[in-house]
Amino acid sequence: QQQVKQSPQSLIVQKGGISIINCAYENTAFDYFPWYQQFPGKGPALLIAIRPDVSEKKEGRFTISFNKSAKQFSLHIMDSQPGDSATYFCAASNAGNNRKLIWGLGTSLAVNP
Amino acid sequence: EAQVTQNPRYLITVTGKKLTVTCSQNMNHEYMSWYRQDPGLGLRQIYYSMNVEVTDKGDVPEGYKVSRKEKRNFPLILESPSPNQTSLYFCASSRTELGLANATQYFGPGTRLTVL
């Protein structure tokens, strides 16, 4: 039973375009929603994270949009670059589960030059 | 340089031959975890540790053991590896509970294990 559903599984975007990856969750107790970026041959690295008391968080070209009522959150990559080509994972956690991260299955993003 | 190191990076072994994958972090982090990553299944947590001598099962602990005798080290032990444990393994650490301020989780470079 997957508690965090991520879509799409893969995404191809042209350079300069906007990449959008979506995640939906079921557990309303989740209170921490990070996005991780993983390049081939590397471990995942925290990209940006949000808590449910805000609806949006922006760091450079990366923005998380959070919709608490819909139980959805998304990652937007503005002005996508070939260097953004990687696999992106969303995740969620809550204090009631020892803060264990529940992971989405990942989105493979390819940005064409 | 702050980092999580894993050894070995690549390992090919045979069924039943005990092996240990080491993990070490130099950030004085309390929390450490082991994950396996498989195509189509994403990242699944095997074990985690909240501090020295405190460990607990993750989602897929069967066939694995861990120990946390020192804060910096968190080895993963496969007592009798089987082919279904062929996977990419990641160790990770964080200063404190994820979700709290400054609780970034840092991942090691991964260990690719093949069990024949």
Side-chain angles (χ1 to χ4, degrees):
Chain A
Q1 181 184 3
Q2 188 187 350
Q3 297 185 50
V4 177
K5 294 184 179 180
Q6 184 172 347
S7 63
Q9 186 174 357
S10 62
L11 181 62
I12 300 174
V13 173
Q14 292 301 119
K15 178 182 176 181
I18 302 173
S19 303
I20 301 175
I21 304 171
N22 300 299
C23 282
Y25 63 96
E26 300 167 1
N27 186 350
T28 55
F30 286 150
D31 63 359
Y32 174 67
F33 303 89
W35 284 91
Y36 283 79
Q37 180 187 55
Q38 184 180 25
F39 293 107
K42 303 289 187 183
L46 180 66
L47 185 61
I48 186 172
I50 197 169
R51 297 185 68 92
D53 51 348
V54 297
S55 60
E56 185 176 283
K57 183 174 181 180
K58 184 176 181 179
E59 290 184 2
R61 296 184 293 109
F62 300 90
T63 299
I64 297 180
S65 297
F66 184 80
N67 187 329
K68 189 173 183 178
S69 61
K71 293 187 287 184
Q72 294 177 346
F73 59 109
S74 60
L75 175 69
H76 295 236
I77 306 174
M78 311 299 289
D79 187 26
S80 298
Q81 299 296 312
D84 297 330
S85 298
T87 299
Y88 293 82
F89 293 93
C90 64
S93 75
N94 66 283
N97 194 21
N98 286 320
R99 286 276 169 212
K100 185 178 74 172
L101 280 177
I102 308 300
W103 295 79
L105 296 185
T107 296
S108 177
L109 170 66
V111 181
N112 290 334
Chain B
E1 179 189 356
Q3 60 182 350
V4 178
T5 57
Q6 295 178 227
N7 282 292
R9 295 289 314 279
Y10 303 90
L11 179 61
I12 301 175
T13 189
V14 295
T15 299
K17 186 176 182 180
K18 180 180 179 179
L19 66 92
T20 299
V21 184
T22 64
C23 172
S24 182
Q25 50 92 5
N26 62 359
M27 295 169 279
N28 201 36
H29 285 171
E30 291 186 353
Y31 276 64
M32 298 186 75
S33 295
W34 274 104
Y35 295 89
R36 59 178 292 174
Q37 185 174 32
D38 302 286
L41 297 177
L43 284 149
R44 294 180 292 168
Q45 190 181 55
I46 303 170
Y47 270 95
Y48 65 97
S49 170
M50 291 177 282
N51 213 326
V52 175
E53 302 291 1
V54 181
T55 63
D56 205 350
K57 297 177 180 179
D59 298 313
V60 288
E62 295 77 20
Y64 304 95
K65 286 176 59 177
V66 293
S67 68
R68 187 93 182 272
K69 293 183 170 54
E70 306 166 278
K71 199 171 188 179
R72 63 182 294 130
N73 296 322
F74 190 42
L76 179 69
I77 303 157
L78 285 72
E79 295 271 2
S80 182
S82 63
N84 65 12
Q85 291 178 299
T86 292
S87 186
L88 179 58
Y89 291 86
F90 288 102
C91 180
S93 74
S94 62
R95 186 179 65 85
T96 183
E97 287 185 354
L98 298 176
L100 300 181
N102 300 320
T104 302
Q105 186 170 221
Y106 295 88
F107 281 78
T111 295
R112 185 165 293 281
L113 172 65
T114 301
V115 183
L116 302 175

